[in-house]
Amino acid sequence: MFDTVLVANRGEIAVRVMRACEDLGVETVAVYSDADKHGGHVRYADEAYNIGPARAADSYLDHDAVIEAARKADADAIHPGYGFLAENAEFAAAVEATDDVTWVGPSPEAMEQAGEKTKARSVMKSADVPIVPGTTDPVTDASEVEAFGEEYGYPIAIKAEGGGGGRGMKIVHGPEEVSDQLDAAKREGEAYFDNDSVYLERYLENPRHIEVQILADEYGNVRHLGERDCSLQRRHQKVIEEGPSPALSEELRERIGKAARRGADAADYYNAGTFEFLVEEEDREDGELLGPDANFYFLEVNTRIQVEHCVTEELTGVDIVKWQLKIAAGEEIDFAQEDVELDGHAIEFRINAENAAEEFAPATGGELATYDPPGGIGVRVDDALRQGDDLVTDYDSMIGKLIVHAGDRSECFARSERALSEYDVEGIPTVIPFHRLMLEDDAFTAGTHTTKYLDEHLDPERVEAAQERWGTDAESTDTDGDEETVEREFTVEVNGKRFDVNVEESGQFAAVADASGADSESTAQRPTRGRGDDGDDGPDVTADGEVVSAEMQGTILSVDVEEGDSVAAGDVICVLEAMKMENDVIAETGGTVIEITFSEGDSVDQGDPLVVLE
């Protein structure tokens, strides 16, 4: 087994991996951006290294910076978690080329073959795994999309090869949308996955999303650990996952599981991975399941650990992350396929800092004035934040995961309601009210929901009512109750390595410090949280006129106007990426562009002026 593992990620998944390492007696190394100096994963690790500014491309996606941190720490393995570089074959190859450092994951060749969507489709087809009609070669020109539409009809899904979770996927409903959506898919692929290659698929109108967890070693052993149902999604982002699926018959479950194993064999795949499928929903009577003849199609392979891997761990008792480490260290899987049994039912609720009543708008900042997660039998919480932490908004909006396990689905729902009611978060909005609503929703409780349910069928007024009923105040409050004792945390960096020093001052010393105006922020020169910049108030505006400002923190993906252009109300000024979603910034009124304060690739804060109109 390894001595030291560097976890090339952040937040709850970094802590999850570190806990598995600790169980194995392995020391851990964290990496962090300027925005994450005070992150939970940094606190948890044995040591930590700064790898760059808040912008992911300059820190968590910087191959050289991550590998250099591993060298400094004498780490003998790198675990990528999920997201960022987890499915980047080029990075995996760079790690493998580094002396005395092991990549915890599938080989770069397997990642390219199974993880890049067009190659994976070819491999699955050769293994007799059903695939959705689509292209097996990358698409570069709008005419190719139009030709596909003429042959198979609309809508069409344009997907980034490196994408996942709806990122890098655009839906084309007609020829007039082809050019814009193709450009947008390529742009997202480049921004998030350093790969602008895209492919096409016929877009299924009414599918369920079923995925199979795979573990495989380098000795030819391939095991599947059952399926998870991830059909409850908003804008292609999963929000609740459960297992086993409430919709599949045993015969269909077995067919899909065998298809996943065939696919893993054909791809020479080892370590952990997830084979995802779309299952076409049918008209069913109450209690009726999808039979063995139901249509299912291969969707993609996620060549990494999944956010929802916890569901499978609760059902099987298999620690998937520990097995990732063991397999990477050369160990052989020691259980047979027939040893895998699914015990009861499990559900995972993603606890996102979002307001579901405002179309799941992500929080733009705030402090966790109260953070008190639930407990009790059958309740697991994976998180990294603690009470008093500031919310970092530079990356995704997930602050934790609640996983509930019970003897059957009915008991799991009852236990989930109890756990969600105990989950006390104040200072930022969360989707907990939405989750509580879903436990009372007829379609979800009956297991007849599809991936389109939230976006096309759920009544928004029900979500608003749930937010009013169960939501908490999003405003942070001062919770300090002891004015005579002041604890100050100083953060010191030496050659990029982080050291924390805590000093407690009480009585007259605390009073003197407060009176002099010296606090932990000024004394320690602690960096501003969020973007990790120098804390200014954004760009200055020199022209007089109507100012169009950023509604949220994010990164400018494209600039759609130039100075001197005339715009009408509703015209797109720029495209702003926030929380891994593209957002059009539009002009509220018409006018002439007389000043632009930003460029493509710039990071902006909420309220920053972007354009001045005359």
Side-chain angles (χ1 to χ4, degrees), residues 158-179:
I158 305 178
K159 295 185 174 185
E161 281 197 340
R167 295 183 296 276
M169 182 171 77
K170 298 299 177 182
I171 308 304
V172 180
H173 296 278
E176 69 283 356
E177 298 179 3
V178 166
S179 181

Side-chain angles (χ1 to χ4, degrees), residues 305-612:
I305 197 73
Q306 290 277 94
V307 175
E308 58 274 16
H309 73 277
C310 316
V311 169
T312 299
E313 291 182 331
E314 296 304 308
L315 291 174
T316 63
V318 175
D319 188 324
I320 300 171
V321 177
K322 282 175 68 173
W323 269 111
Q324 282 189 292
L325 294 161
K326 289 179 179 182
I327 291 169
E331 296 188 28
E332 185 174 1
I333 294 174
D334 62 3
F335 59 89
Q337 183 63 56
E338 53 267 26
D339 295 331
V340 178
E341 296 182 0
L342 304 184
D343 176 24
H345 199 86
I347 303 178
E348 176 180 282
F349 302 89
R350 300 191 184 198
I351 308 301
N352 295 339
E354 299 172 351
N355 188 334
E358 297 180 0
E359 298 184 345
F360 292 90
T364 56
E367 177 187 307
L368 275 75
T370 299
Y371 185 75
D372 188 9
I377 189 169
V379 175
R380 165 181 170 181
V381 177
D382 280 19
D383 58 15
L385 293 172
R386 292 294 177 264
Q387 186 162 303
D389 283 356
D390 284 345
L391 181 68
V392 175
T393 59
D394 297 79
Y395 313 107
D396 62 64
S397 60
M398 189 168 64
I399 62 173
K401 302 181 303 195
L402 169 65
I403 308 98
V404 180
H405 180 234
D408 57 34
R409 194 168 188 254
S410 177
E411 183 185 16
C412 195
F413 270 46
R415 186 168 287 167
S416 297
E417 174 56 38
R418 187 264 297 171
L420 287 166
S421 69
E422 290 179 5
Y423 212 138
D424 190 6
V425 182
E426 295 181 1
I428 60 173
T430 73
V431 294
I432 290 174
F434 165 82
H435 291 323
R436 298 183 70 174
L437 171 65
M438 286 298 97
L439 293 176
E440 300 178 351
D441 182 80
D442 290 341
F444 183 64
T445 56
T448 58
H449 59 290
T450 70
T451 59
K452 309 294 182 63
Y453 178 66
L454 295 184
D455 294 333
E456 298 181 2
H457 302 291
L458 183 64
D459 184 354
E461 292 185 0
R462 295 180 58 209
V463 181
E464 293 172 5
Q467 188 67 32
E468 291 180 4
R469 179 180 178 187
W470 291 306
T472 57
D473 187 358
E475 295 298 323
S476 296
T477 57
D478 185 3
T479 57
D480 285 337
D482 186 355
E483 296 180 356
E484 296 183 359
T485 301
V486 178
E487 182 175 327
R488 306 184 185 282
E489 177 185 313
F490 297 85
T491 300
V492 180
E493 283 184 16
V494 180
N495 293 328
K497 183 176 179 180
R498 178 186 190 275
F499 297 89
D500 289 334
V501 178
N502 293 311
V503 177
E504 186 175 282
E505 300 170 347
S506 59
Q508 62 178 350
F509 295 103
V512 170
D514 289 341
S516 67
D519 57 26
S520 61
E521 296 287 277
S522 60
T523 304
Q525 296 183 342
R526 181 175 290 177
T528 57
R529 302 182 185 181
R531 286 193 297 165
D533 59 14
D534 57 7
D536 62 20
D537 295 324
D540 294 328
V541 172
T542 59
D544 292 328
E546 185 74 21
V547 177
V548 179
S549 301
E551 296 183 355
M552 62 190 74
Q553 189 278 336
T555 301
I556 301 296
L557 291 184
S558 71
V559 182
D560 291 54
V561 295
E562 296 179 354
E563 290 186 4
D565 285 354
S566 295
V567 298
D571 283 354
V572 176
I573 298 294
C574 63
V575 178
L576 175 66
E577 177 274 318
M579 299 299 182
K580 300 182 181 177
M581 299 294 292
E582 288 193 8
N583 303 273
D584 290 339
V585 178
I586 64 173
E588 296 292 337
T589 60
T592 301
V593 178
I594 57 175
E595 185 174 0
I596 299 175
T597 66
F598 62 92
S599 301
E600 184 175 321
D602 285 353
S603 292
V604 297
D605 272 338
Q606 182 184 25
D608 279 359
L610 301 177
V611 166
V612 181

Side-chain angles (χ1 to χ4, degrees), residues 10-192:
R10 64 179 299 277
E12 62 83 21
I13 185 56
V15 172
R16 167 70 186 94
V17 174
M18 292 171 188
R19 284 174 170 153
C21 290
E22 191 169 16
D23 287 350
L24 292 169
V26 176
E27 294 193 346
T28 57
V29 179
V31 291
Y32 62 96
S33 71
D34 289 346
D36 272 335
K37 282 182 179 291
H38 309 289
H41 71 292
V42 179
R43 293 191 295 257
Y44 195 93
D46 293 307
E47 54 183 314
Y49 292 83
N50 184 297
I51 54 170
R55 186 169 178 261
D58 300 324
S59 51
Y60 294 110
L61 291 174
D62 187 331
H63 300 195
D64 294 337
V66 173
I67 292 174
E68 179 60 24
R71 287 198 188 99
K72 288 180 179 178
D74 289 327
D76 48 359
I78 292 178
H79 191 302
Y82 51 67
F84 293 131
L85 296 172
E87 294 182 280
N88 190 306
E90 180 183 348
F91 177 67
V95 173
E96 289 197 341
T98 303
D99 291 341
D100 302 320
V101 180
T102 299
W103 168 252
V104 181
S107 70
E109 295 77 19
M111 292 175 71
E112 288 185 348
Q113 187 164 237
E116 291 206 357
K117 310 304 187 290
T118 54
K119 293 180 181 179
R121 286 170 57 83
S122 297
V123 173
M124 295 306 116
K125 186 176 182 179
S126 70
D128 196 28
V129 177
I131 63 173
V132 178
T135 61
T136 54
D137 293 318
V139 170
T140 59
D141 190 80
S143 62
E144 298 174 80
V145 183
E146 293 169 357
F148 185 88
E150 291 176 3
E151 181 175 358
Y152 294 103
Y154 292 90
I156 301 168
I158 305 178
K159 295 185 174 185
E161 281 197 340
R167 295 183 296 276
M169 182 171 77
K170 298 299 177 182
I171 308 304
V172 180
H173 296 278
E176 69 283 356
E177 298 179 3
V178 166
S179 181
D180 287 345
Q181 297 291 54
L182 177 62
D183 289 344
K186 294 177 70 174
R187 187 168 59 239
E188 281 193 9
E190 177 67 30
Y192 299 129

